[in-house]
Amino acid sequence: MTPYAEVIGDPIAQSKSPLIHGFWLKQLGIDAGYRATHVPPEKLGEYFAERRADPAWRGCNVTVPHKLAALDHVADPGDVRGSIGAINTVFRGDGGDWIGTNTDAAGFHAPIAGLDLGAKPVVVIGAGGAARAILFALSKLGVGRVTILNRNVLKAAGLLASFGLKGDALPLTAPLPAAKLLVNASTLGMTGQPPLTIDLTPLPDDAVVYDAVYAPIETPLLAQAHDRGLDTVDGLEMLVGQAALAFELFFGVAPPRDRDDELRAALLK
């Protein structure tokens, strides 16, 4: 019986998680598998019920649109519901319970750990599960005012309040305010999704543009930032960072991060 983990979502074909985890499993010589599984929202409860009965299942990563709903199907000893409010990883705890956690916040922060964001303004696009993890991380960094651009302004305002952040909630069509860091935490610009149309002119020359979208890697947002000569972080940085934490929870060993350059080359093929 070969142990395995997987990533679930709707859609799921765009996921690069199987390549990432498969690369690490091969490098470490671990006899295990990792796959992508399409799970529509109405099948989420059925999915978890079936997997709990499978002794080979080590857990799963959770992507759009299940990051909030999956909380209803797992234990939450770390009170992720009360902090981030969304999960992206499910794993078996020491007591045998299936536990939900979130590795997105740490995955988001790793590429910008050396960036001085103290009291600096930040803009976040989106208010879904990824945005929750990002806002949670920002709340721990002592950033300045945070502006959330989102279709649902009331939802965005609620997130600012829940994370104790000072700032503004504005519609997607609002002009971009000046900021040290701009983060796209939405699916806008992702393959198969509507484009993200935004004017980066208000950003200062030392701003950093961070796009959590990883399909495509070079999103129109990042292309525009490159044209401006701005520093950028692409979605692979966050994806690999959060995957590394999940991998250790699934398989009990840290992935070989010294092979990141080789992994990134494989992901870009």
Side-chain angles (χ1 to χ4, degrees):
M1 184 182 299
T2 303
Y4 72 96
E6 58 196 329
V7 58
I8 64 170
D10 180 27
I12 199 60
Q14 82 286 350
S15 177
K16 295 184 181 294
S17 293
L19 195 159
I20 295 171
H21 288 264
F23 175 88
W24 288 332
L25 288 169
K26 182 178 180 180
Q27 296 300 319
L28 294 172
I30 297 174
D31 183 18
Y34 188 99
R35 66 197 189 197
T37 301
H38 177 235
V39 180
E42 67 273 14
K43 297 288 187 179
L44 188 61
E46 180 181 328
Y47 164 82
F48 279 113
E50 290 178 351
R51 290 302 189 270
R52 283 193 181 93
D54 185 349
W57 188 58
R58 293 295 184 88
C60 65
N61 288 118
V62 181
T63 189
V64 175
H66 303 314
K67 291 188 176 187
L68 280 69
L71 269 167
D72 295 333
H73 302 280
V74 296
D76 183 23
D79 192 27
V80 180
R81 185 186 296 274
S83 56
I84 297 176
I87 61 174
N88 78 325
T89 303
V90 175
F91 69 101
R92 189 188 292 276
D94 292 337
D97 286 340
W98 289 105
I99 294 172
T101 190
N102 196 308
T103 65
D104 275 340
F108 160 75
H109 178 248
I112 58 169
L115 187 64
D116 179 16
L117 290 174
K120 304 289 178 60
V122 176
V123 176
V124 176
I125 300 169
R132 285 175 174 270
I134 288 165
L135 291 166
F136 174 80
L138 292 173
S139 73
K140 303 300 182 183
L141 296 176
V143 299
R145 293 184 66 81
V146 176
T147 301
I148 301 179
L149 303 179
N150 193 53
R151 292 190 187 91
N152 187 327
V153 175
L154 289 178
K155 181 180 180 181
L159 285 184
L160 285 174
S162 66
F163 290 109
L165 293 165
K166 295 181 179 180
D168 302 288
L170 302 174
L172 281 171
T173 54
L176 184 68
K180 173 66 175 179
L181 175 66
L182 167 66
V183 184
N184 177 30
S186 75
T187 59
L188 295 175
M190 180 185 293
T191 301
Q193 299 295 320
L196 173 59
T197 303
I198 193 166
D199 179 11
L200 300 184
T201 302
L203 294 182
D205 291 340
D206 66 344
V208 176
V209 177
Y210 192 144
D211 199 336
V213 169
Y214 57 83
I217 300 301
E218 175 80 347
T219 63
L221 175 65
L222 293 183
Q224 188 184 168
H226 290 150
D227 289 344
R228 275 277 321 271
L230 301 177
D231 288 336
T232 63
V233 179
D234 64 45
L236 282 187
E237 297 275 2
M238 179 173 173
L239 181 67
V240 172
Q242 64 81 25
L245 298 169
F247 183 90
E248 189 164 359
L249 292 172
F250 297 147
F251 303 111
V253 61
R257 296 301 303 274
D258 59 327
R259 308 295 290 272
D260 274 8
D261 288 346
E262 187 178 344
L263 172 58
R264 185 176 179 87
L267 289 167
L268 291 173
K269 283 184 179 178

